[in-house]
Amino acid sequence: MHDLLIKSALFVTCDRNHKIVYDGTMAIRNGRITALEPSDSDAAGQLQAHKTISAKGRLVMPGLINMHCHAGDSLFRGLVEGLTLESWLRRVWIAEKAILTPQTTYLGSVLGLAENLLAGATTVMDMFWYPNETVRAANDLGMRLSTGGIFFDLPGIGDRMHVNYIKEAETFMATHQESETIFPAILPHGSYTVSPEHLEDAKAISDRYGALFSTHAAETQAEQSDISNRYGKSVIRHLEAHDLLGPRSILAHCVHVDKTEIKMMADSGTIVAHNPMSNLKLGSGIAPVYEMLDAGINVTLGTDGAISGNDLDMWLTMRLAASLTKGVMMRADVVTAKQVLHMATLNGAEALGQSKNLGSLELGKAADFIVLDLNSIHAVPMFDPINHLVYSTSKSDVRDVFVDGKQIVRDGKATKVNMDQTIENVRALAPSIKASLE
Ligand SMILES: [Zn+2]
């Protein structure tokens, strides 16, 4: 006996072969996918479960994986506008310093993670000041999260020093090492905000635990000049010189990288988190996604924080990732819809070391899936579901979300957290947020 059957849906599995089951039935037991068969098959006819959901007119696919976010920054959405990264950051840090405590970080994290969740992301990699509060928010919502100790050399939030960051990162690692929902990571902010020695300290912790390591890298030309002036090398070469590339290293952005650097990243198995919306809005540039894919780099997708891209929408991210390179190269055949759908699902799972568990609808994997409504004017006709997902789907099409076979969004609403109360609390805080920059 299974726990749950999802019947009569269009399944886009996002497996290696991009298998689609046009009218399928999926079974779930103990949070795992136990069967996925055509609805008219004998095998599907024999499936029995405690609960059955008819999903006719719906599309079911794996939950999306957002590989670069700062959920708590949702508190500051729209506060700092019209500036490029470096001057933008200086304003952001003033506001963060005035507002962020563990309590407000929790509030912002619920806000930002819920936006991710309602838009279909079931797993998020997040870098923020109080990671334990982001974990609490993800646990409350029922999502998976990769986060961990931040590193930052300037006087940061809470006036912590390097020695404090080391201690916090170590404790975080030890606490979440065995978790199936929290994937611990080491997250130094960037090579322009963390010294080479401190970056090495951070990497040593990630190496000791075999944990993920993620940092901002090669986001703007100004960052390249800064790092070249300080260390005589470009950002990626600087990271390489300090042994910071590798298959557990996830570099956010990589907008300004040359051919040699792309090869360095490919040869070392380094992963890229591409954030097209943030890169466009901050005037950072357009990452060479075609060249990175062509070199064999695992390219994943991220929204970045809502303070830079102004929303946390993986559908917009997919559409930009699929379209920008075509425009830049004046070629319609590069960066295909299939490649982009994998960037938002299976590639993220691989980056997190979770390819056996997440990223596609396959037997034995966790039942992390989303249900999209196809009864909308932009969903008919639908000749190719994968093209539809990348170019026509909106976050409002996401109606239901399941993690580990448990429903955590029902008909567009989070089931585990009272979001009305969250909205009220954020509204109450808004005047102080605005005042922080006055
Ligand atoms: Zn970022």
Side-chain angles (χ1 to χ4, degrees), residues 75-76 79-80 90-100 307 429-438:
L75 292 176
F76 307 98
L79 188 70
V80 187
R90 281 193 285 275
R91 301 278 289 162
V92 169
W93 287 330
I94 293 169
E96 285 185 340
K97 203 151 191 191
I99 296 300
L100 291 177
I307 190 170
L429 189 63
S432 329
I433 298 170
K434 187 158 184 283
S436 70
L437 288 185
E438 283 169 351

Side-chain angles (χ1 to χ4, degrees), residues 171-180 182-184 208-211:
T171 309
F172 192 96
M173 280 293 150
T175 309
H176 298 288
Q177 220 181 346
E178 305 297 327
S179 174
E180 289 186 359
I182 305 299
F183 311 126
R208 198 158 355 108
Y209 286 89

